Amino acid sequence: MDLKRLRYFCVIVEQGSISKAARLLNISQPPLSKRLQELEDEIGTALVSRNGTGIATTEAGMVFYLRATDILRNVEEARSEALLVATNRKTVVRIGISYLFQRYFSPLVAEIYQQLEGAKIETVVADSSTLETMLEKNV
């Protein structure tokens, strides 16, 4: 499975539209639609349903989206940790995001990561009460 297709799929879901995702990713819409179709073919089921105003995630698509975001975050954390070891940098940024706002803050987290190249960014996606408990306990 191609990580680029996973990333494209996540951006499509987060933007709610293939055309908006294409603009954000700086690629044209037809190739992005083709990558989505290839991913759906590989998985064997529709991940989104297309409507006149954009896309809606199917039940299978939402399950896949949640797992895909975990996979992409783990890959990025592995890359970041390897870079930390290689450069001996110790900067760690911890970010907690509730499930409700994950879609909105994912691009912001990506931007923070780019700005702090080489820093270790740890993200936790959980419900608000869990995040508050973690904050209180300084976890």
Side-chain angles (χ1 to χ4, degrees):
M1 185 160 295
D2 184 359
L3 290 177
K4 185 179 275 189
R5 278 194 221 144
L6 285 181
R7 182 172 171 262
Y8 287 173
F9 171 71
C10 289
V11 173
I12 291 168
V13 170
E14 290 161 3
Q15 294 300 307
S17 161
I18 294 173
S19 59
K20 287 179 185 177
R23 281 192 298 275
L24 184 69
L25 293 165
N26 200 28
I27 61 175
S28 64
Q29 187 175 344
L32 185 57
S33 293
K34 184 164 177 53
R35 298 297 86 78
L36 176 59
Q37 184 61 53
E38 291 169 353
L39 183 61
E40 289 177 324
D41 290 347
E42 183 176 354
I43 292 171
T45 190
L47 300 173
V48 299
S49 59
R50 292 146 180 91
N51 56 45
T53 60
I55 59 104
T57 310
T58 64
E59 187 176 351
M62 183 51 68
V63 168
F64 188 75
Y65 169 76
L66 294 172
R67 294 297 299 232
T69 56
D70 287 342
I71 290 165
L72 292 172
R73 185 177 58 250
N74 286 335
V75 168
E76 192 54 43
E77 287 174 359
R79 187 188 82 75
S80 178
E81 288 175 22
L83 185 59
L84 283 172
V85 169
T87 62
N88 290 324
R89 290 193 182 171
K90 302 295 183 208
T91 304
V92 176
V93 177
R94 291 184 182 94
I95 300 172
I97 304 170
S98 71
Y99 293 110
L100 181 63
F101 295 105
Q102 178 181 7
R103 170 180 159 172
Y104 302 104
F105 284 100
S106 293
L108 178 61
V109 172
E111 180 65 29
I112 291 169
Y113 180 78
Q114 288 177 348
Q115 295 295 321
L116 300 175
E117 185 63 36
K120 179 178 181 183
I121 297 183
E122 297 175 355
T123 56
V124 175
V125 180
D127 61 88
S128 299
S129 61
T130 301
L131 293 172
E132 186 176 356
T133 301
M134 292 176 75
L135 186 60
E136 289 172 353
K137 292 181 178 180
N138 198 23
V139 176

